[in-house]
Amino acid sequence: MIIKKKILSNELITRNLKNIALKDKYLFEKDIQKKTGESYIYFLKNKKILNDGKINTFNKDIISDFLGFKNLSKLILIKKILLYVNYIVKIISQNIFIHKIYTRENCIIIYNRNSIGYFHWTLDTLPKIIYIKKKYKGIDLILPKNLDVSFIRESLKKIKVNFFFIERNTNYYFRNIIYVGDLYPSGSPRSELLVPLKKIGNINYKKKRIFISRNKSKRRNLSNENKLIKILKKYNFEILYSEKLSFDDQIKKFSSAKYVIGLHGAGISNIIWMKEKSYLLELKPELDLFLNCYFNLAKALKINYDYLICQKNQIFRSSKYSNYIVDEKLFEKKLEKIFKNENKKN
């Protein structure tokens, strides 16, 4: 038996285009106004959670939410078919080949197929945990083994919730399961749901200047980053490799920052810890209409958003995997403008 309960109504979010050049308006067009859709939780009885965290159900609402169908962009129908078929095949195979079963009473599921990413965990999943924690106390979160990584463990301990990871080669049978659906489309948050998340940060505001390097990443790097760093050092920017920091250290670093600059990537998620009216300069991939999550996040947090378009230098790679180059003269002019305005305010 499955009971579906609406917890949040559809909401229209409107965003302004401050700092957006007229020639670039088309890049942000689809996010100027966006509906959140309704949000639901599902109550399931006597169901299995399979070895990889999937719910042993063919309920189309739960499957489409778990697979993130409403967040897909480009080739949507093909992606839906492939994801759905993969989900069903894995359910069938795990039921056939995995026979070890633990029986437990209750659990809550807050993850989905994207939760392993730092962006999705921090901005999509943690708000679910904080939301549900107030309503259902004393029930453990169940998590698949692929989420057993340091930043996830650290964040869960910081929020102070009970959790456990699925053992390998084991299916779990539960009397009662609560599945929490998306609270909003990924990358388009409801601002009021970010407020409780922001409060777990250690506010340590010192007006620092941070540049997020992707030099340690295997994809989407800045080919001329070394030249940009020389410019940044003139303006007293700290060069940060966010993947090398603990969850707590990322909170401390970004809650102390007034200015953050970075190429589109998960490290920018950390602006969630920054103070209102701080400043984000995103080095934004050219021509991509779908990479507006940090524009949306900055607007929700009341952080000043600015951008500089960067060019692909791997033409046949997607925006997700290509490396980029930034015009160094335009970059320095942008910094000059930012700090000239800052000096006027002071």
Side-chain angles (χ1 to χ4, degrees):
M1 182 178 72
I2 299 175
I3 298 172
K4 179 180 177 181
K5 178 184 176 183
K6 186 169 79 170
I7 53 174
L8 294 169
S9 298
N10 189 18
E11 176 186 347
L12 179 66
I13 299 175
T14 302
R15 304 177 178 102
N16 65 59
L17 289 175
K18 183 182 177 183
N19 295 331
I20 307 300
L22 189 60
K23 67 181 176 61
D24 297 325
K25 182 181 174 183
Y26 75 100
L27 292 170
F28 302 88
E29 200 84 54
K30 75 178 189 67
D31 286 288
I32 296 172
Q33 287 194 324
K34 190 150 189 174
K35 291 182 177 179
T36 60
E38 296 174 336
S39 299
Y40 297 89
I41 55 175
Y42 301 82
F43 300 90
L44 301 88
K45 285 191 173 292
N46 302 317
K47 290 285 183 183
K48 273 196 292 189
I49 306 298
L50 301 173
N51 177 66
D52 63 355
K54 291 181 176 64
I55 303 174
N56 190 44
T57 181
F58 294 98
N59 180 281
K60 64 180 180 61
D61 291 337
I62 291 177
I63 292 176
S64 64
D65 187 277
F66 184 90
L67 296 175
F69 280 178
K70 67 181 179 184
N71 301 319
L72 296 175
S73 60
K74 303 174 185 176
L75 304 173
I76 292 173
L77 181 58
I78 294 171
K79 287 180 180 177
K80 281 185 175 180
I81 292 169
L82 291 174
L83 286 168
Y84 188 81
V85 169
N86 179 264
Y87 188 99
I88 299 303
V89 168
K90 286 193 172 180
I91 281 183
I92 293 170
S93 64
Q94 287 176 84
N95 274 302
I96 293 172
F97 296 111
I98 297 176
H99 304 292
K100 186 178 178 181
I101 297 176
Y102 281 168
T103 299
R104 298 182 66 146
E105 286 298 316
N106 308 307
C107 77
I108 296 178
I109 296 176
I110 42 73
Y111 57 85
N112 58 33
R113 76 178 178 94
N114 292 316
S115 293
I116 184 59
Y118 186 84
F119 169 87
H120 293 288
W121 178 263
T122 305
L123 297 170
D124 297 338
T125 312
L126 288 183
K128 286 187 192 180
I129 298 171
I130 293 171
Y131 181 88
I132 208 74
K133 180 186 172 186
K134 295 176 183 177
K135 298 179 181 296
Y136 300 95
K137 296 179 180 178
I139 302 179
D140 294 344
L141 301 180
I142 185 172
L143 298 161
K145 200 65 181 173
N146 73 315
L147 297 185
D148 190 2
V149 294
S150 57
F151 73 83
I152 288 178
R153 280 186 172 273
E154 289 169 31
S155 64
L156 291 170
K157 287 175 183 176
K158 197 164 190 69
I159 294 176
K160 297 178 181 176
V161 291
N162 298 322
F163 62 93
F164 68 96
F165 291 96
I166 294 170
E167 292 186 18
R168 297 191 188 281
N169 300 314
T170 305
N171 292 333
Y172 285 72
Y173 182 87
F174 285 92
R175 313 281 184 207
N176 299 288
I177 299 170
I178 298 173
Y179 176 82
V180 186
D182 283 339
L183 300 181
Y184 40 75
S186 184
S188 186
R190 302 176 191 255
S191 56
E192 68 276 13
L193 295 181
L194 298 180
V195 174
L197 174 61
K198 196 175 181 71
K199 286 180 180 176
I200 75 169
N202 301 319
I203 302 304
N204 183 30
Y205 192 55
K206 293 181 179 177
K207 299 187 178 181
K208 285 188 176 180
R209 302 172 182 182
I210 289 174
F211 174 74
I212 305 168
S213 173
R214 288 186 59 85
N215 203 29
K216 306 295 181 187
S217 176
K218 295 178 181 177
R219 61 183 173 88
R220 206 164 62 247
N221 294 313
L222 286 170
S223 301
N224 61 337
E225 183 175 295
N226 288 338
K227 293 180 179 178
L228 298 182
I229 286 174
K230 288 180 182 178
I231 298 169
L232 287 158
K233 285 185 175 177
K234 295 182 197 175
Y235 293 88
N236 300 314
F237 273 81
E238 178 183 355
I239 312 306
L240 203 68
Y241 304 93
S242 51
E243 64 266 44
K244 296 179 75 174
L245 299 175
S246 69
F247 185 75
D248 237 11
D249 284 341
Q250 290 186 73
I251 291 175
K252 288 173 185 174
K253 285 287 186 184
F254 283 85
S255 64
S256 72
K258 185 173 183 181
Y259 297 95
V260 167
I261 299 175
L263 177 64
H264 182 93
I268 299 179
S269 308
N270 287 301
I271 68 170
I272 180 66
W273 318 120
M274 292 172 71
K275 192 175 180 181
E276 284 186 11
K277 298 183 181 177
S278 299
Y279 183 93
L280 168 66
L281 175 62
E282 179 182 18
L283 304 179
K284 185 173 174 60
E286 62 177 340
L287 303 176
D288 200 303
L289 307 178
F290 298 97
L291 297 181
N292 290 329
C293 55
Y294 298 117
F295 165 75
N296 297 339
L297 179 59
K299 296 298 178 183
L301 295 169
K302 298 180 182 176
I303 287 172
N304 292 309
Y305 175 87
D306 206 345
Y307 68 101
L308 193 62
I309 300 296
C310 48
Q311 286 74 44
K312 278 185 181 183
N313 60 1
Q314 293 170 301
I315 297 171
F316 298 107
R317 288 196 172 191
S318 68
S319 298
K320 188 176 180 180
Y321 292 99
S322 175
N323 290 336
Y324 289 86
I325 190 162
V326 176
D327 187 302
E328 292 145 36
K329 290 182 179 177
L330 289 178
F331 184 71
E332 186 152 20
K333 279 184 181 178
K334 178 68 80 171
L335 292 185
E336 286 173 0
K337 182 180 177 183
I338 293 166
F339 293 109
K340 184 179 179 181
N341 291 338
E342 175 70 6
N343 291 334
K344 283 180 182 178
K345 289 177 188 177
N346 295 335

